[in-house]
Amino acid sequence: MTAEPQDRAQFTAMTEGSQQDWTTIASHFIPFAARGGRRVLDHLKLLDGDYGGFPVDRLQHSLQTATRAHRDGRPDDYVVMALIHDIGDTLGAYNHPDIGAAIIKPFVSEQLHWITAHHGIFQGYYYFHYLGMDRDLRETYRGHEHFEACAEFCEKYDQSAFDPQYESAPLAFFEPMVMTLFEKPRQSLYAGAGAPA
């Protein structure tokens, strides 16, 4: 939907912005931000059918990871983290954990953010040596307060979520959790909570 000219800021450079311009922008930002969960769900659908050589496609891997976490009694924020940990696969072939971590950062604890950001190198423990790499690269982080939590995530949920026979919950099952989590940030990345970027 395109905003009418009167419902848009009037500046051509931010140095020319006025209070009215930023009031207008903020009035658009708040409802846009509130629909973040819907955009996350839509983006997850892009993983459907993308196998990348794996036994299951990237969407099924995400669903399976989240389903395993849910069935293990993990709280909703952990389950959503498990669901979107690989959401960056389609955009960042070399740094997908950074993308998932950036998306989830304002909405989860520091521990869940850290797991998302570092799961790639921890997951490497299970396969790096087959690619001529050091499987123990995760040892760089040994002693970090979230090391064990990340290792556990990979061991229990991530590395084991490639089973074509596993009956995962459908994406619709996770929709309420995703929508609730992305409804309101736990922390602001800016000085003023809810500030548009």
Side-chain angles (χ1 to χ4, degrees):
M1 177 188 298
T2 304
E4 295 300 319
Q6 67 272 18
D7 198 25
R8 289 186 250 158
Q10 300 302 304
F11 60 74
T12 57
M14 284 186 171
T15 55
E16 302 168 1
S18 68
Q19 179 63 56
Q20 180 56 47
D21 287 330
W22 287 100
T23 299
T24 298
I25 290 167
S27 74
H28 287 261
F29 174 79
I30 293 168
F32 176 80
R35 294 189 300 272
R38 173 58 49 207
R39 290 189 298 278
V40 165
L41 290 164
D42 288 344
H43 194 84
L44 279 169
K45 293 174 186 174
L46 297 177
L47 304 179
D48 190 17
D50 183 354
Y51 285 83
F54 288 94
V56 298
D57 68 33
R58 298 181 195 280
L59 177 60
Q60 287 307 310
H61 169 67
S62 298
L63 293 172
Q64 194 173 140
T65 305
T67 301
R68 288 176 182 277
H70 176 72
R71 290 177 182 162
D72 202 27
R74 296 292 181 163
D76 287 358
D77 57 350
Y78 191 105
V79 173
V80 173
M81 179 275 294
L83 180 68
I84 74 163
H85 74 286
D86 281 346
I87 197 169
D89 275 348
T90 58
L91 297 172
Y94 297 100
N95 68 330
H96 80 272
D98 296 331
I99 296 170
I103 291 169
I104 206 167
K105 183 175 183 177
F107 304 97
V108 297
S109 67
E110 172 57 30
Q111 182 184 76
L112 295 185
H113 172 257
W114 201 91
I115 291 171
T116 311
H118 293 86
H119 79 271
I121 196 167
F122 278 67
Q123 190 80 324
Y125 175 78
Y126 299 98
Y127 72 91
F128 279 175
H129 52 297
Y130 295 120
L131 301 176
M133 299 167 64
D134 181 4
R135 71 182 301 189
D136 291 318
L137 283 176
R138 69 182 187 174
E139 291 302 316
T140 304
Y141 298 100
R142 177 72 67 183
H144 189 280
E145 63 180 316
H146 304 312
F147 182 97
E148 294 300 333
C150 192
E152 180 183 49
F153 168 73
C154 289
E155 179 184 357
K156 293 181 77 172
Y157 310 122
D158 197 2
Q159 69 83 25
S160 61
F162 296 95
D163 182 355
Q165 303 306 314
Y166 188 82
E167 292 189 23
S168 298
L171 187 58
F173 174 82
F174 299 104
E175 182 173 339
M177 295 180 214
V178 171
M179 296 302 289
T180 298
L181 183 73
F182 284 95
E183 192 172 80
K184 185 175 180 187
R186 292 168 46 116
Q187 53 192 310
S188 175
L189 302 180
Y190 303 96

